[in-house]
């Protein structure tokens, strides 16, 4: 083996190891953890509707409010593990919030649900894992601010009112009784504990 091949082999292993380490670190630090802020669901008895048509109407309604930098698309989400079936959802993403809406036939009715998720950065997750002081340090470095609480609430209200409007429009068109006031209220998770 000549000297050039020796150095190429020796340093090639280091370079390849460095590239792999950089890719692994980038993958780790680009991931976020999602927690839910709020959720809601309703089963409309004796009612049939196409999920695709529901999503098309909802996408139009969500886009009609002039919210900038909102991304709305259909998304296949697994029902369980990697080998399970996928179900189609409509996903609206804005800032650090993800709003997943499901419309599906269930028995002789039509089921609608949504989940508002917020994303925690991997930095916050890693800091929180530091023994003894991690939780305190994460709260100091990544505080829950009024701005974050307000933007989550605004996005939830905007999206919920859009879902309810579409449901009201399609049920009124078919002569189905409207949803009661009690059934219109979302369920909040206490994720913004200070």
């Amino acid at each position: 083996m000549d000297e050039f091949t020796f150095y190429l082999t020796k340093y090639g292993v280091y370079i390849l190891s460095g590239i792999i380490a950089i890719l692994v670190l980038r993958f780790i630090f680009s991931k976020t953890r999602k927690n839910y802020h709020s959720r809601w669901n309703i089963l409309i008895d004796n009612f049939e509707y196409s999920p695709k048509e529901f999503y098309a109407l909802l996408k139009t309604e969500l886009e009609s409010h002039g919210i900038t930098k909102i991304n709305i698309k259909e998304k296949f989400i697994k029902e369980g593990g990697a080998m399970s079936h996928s179900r189609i959802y409509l996903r609206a993403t804005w800032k650090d919030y993800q709003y997943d809406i499901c419309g599906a036939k269930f028995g002789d009715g039509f089921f609608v649900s949504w989940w508002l998720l917020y994303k925690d950065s991997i930095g916050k997750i890693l800091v929180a894992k530091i023994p003894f002081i991690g939780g305190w340090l994460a709260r100091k470095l990544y505080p829950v601010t009024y701005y974050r609480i307000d933007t989550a609430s605004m996005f939830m209200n905007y999206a919920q009112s859009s879902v309810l409007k579409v449901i009201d429009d399609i049920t009124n068109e078919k002569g189905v009784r409207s949803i009661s006031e009690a059934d219109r209220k979302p369920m909040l998770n206490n994720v913004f504990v200070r």
Side-chain angles (χ1 to χ4, degrees):
M1 179 183 304
D2 65 18
E3 192 173 334
F4 176 73
T5 307
F6 171 76
Y7 285 113
L8 183 63
T9 304
K10 180 180 175 182
Y11 292 111
V13 170
Y14 293 128
I15 291 170
L16 185 59
S17 298
I19 291 170
I20 291 172
I22 288 169
L23 290 174
V24 167
L25 288 172
R26 182 173 178 220
F27 175 77
I28 288 171
F29 285 102
S30 68
K31 290 292 174 189
T32 58
R33 184 182 72 193
K34 298 173 186 163
N35 288 309
Y36 88 91
H37 167 272
S38 48
R39 63 185 178 85
W40 179 82
N41 63 61
I42 190 80
L43 176 64
I44 305 166
D45 284 324
N46 301 314
F47 186 77
E48 271 192 46
Y49 207 79
S50 160
K52 287 281 207 177
E53 289 177 37
F54 176 71
Y55 294 153
L57 292 171
L58 185 54
K59 183 174 192 264
T60 301
E61 179 62 26
L62 288 166
E63 291 173 338
S64 73
H65 296 282
I67 306 295
T68 58
K69 297 184 180 173
I70 189 167
N71 182 16
I72 304 168
K73 62 184 174 188
E74 290 181 359
K75 181 84 176 166
F76 285 94
I77 299 176
K78 293 283 186 192
E79 292 176 353
M83 300 303 285
S84 68
H85 294 281
S86 293
R87 180 176 290 221
I88 191 164
Y89 283 72
L90 188 69
R91 176 171 289 170
T93 307
W94 177 71
K95 296 193 178 212
D96 289 333
Y97 305 102
Q98 175 182 307
Y99 192 80
D100 289 332
I101 305 117
C102 174
K105 181 175 174 24
F106 187 78
D108 64 353
F110 188 70
F111 178 78
V112 179
S113 72
W114 60 253
W115 293 80
L116 177 60
L117 308 169
Y118 71 95
K119 302 173 199 170
D120 277 338
S121 70
I122 194 71
K124 180 179 180 179
I125 296 164
L126 292 176
V127 167
K129 297 221 181 266
I130 296 171
F132 307 111
I133 63 165
W136 175 83
L137 193 57
R139 285 189 300 277
K140 293 296 177 194
L141 294 174
Y142 303 93
V144 175
T145 63
Y146 291 136
Y147 175 79
R148 187 160 189 204
I149 295 168
D150 288 345
T151 54
S153 295
M154 286 184 295
F155 190 55
M156 178 196 69
N157 287 329
Y158 145 78
Q160 172 69 348
S161 67
S162 295
V163 168
L164 290 173
K165 181 179 181 326
V166 170
I167 290 173
D168 287 344
D169 288 350
I170 62 178
T171 55
N172 287 340
E173 179 183 299
K174 301 228 180 206
V176 175
R177 182 177 51 91
S178 64
I179 300 170
S180 73
E181 283 305 313
D183 287 336
R184 292 173 176 268
K185 296 177 182 166
M187 295 159 259
L188 301 176
N189 187 15
N190 194 14
V191 296
F192 292 123
V193 175
R194 298 190 119 230

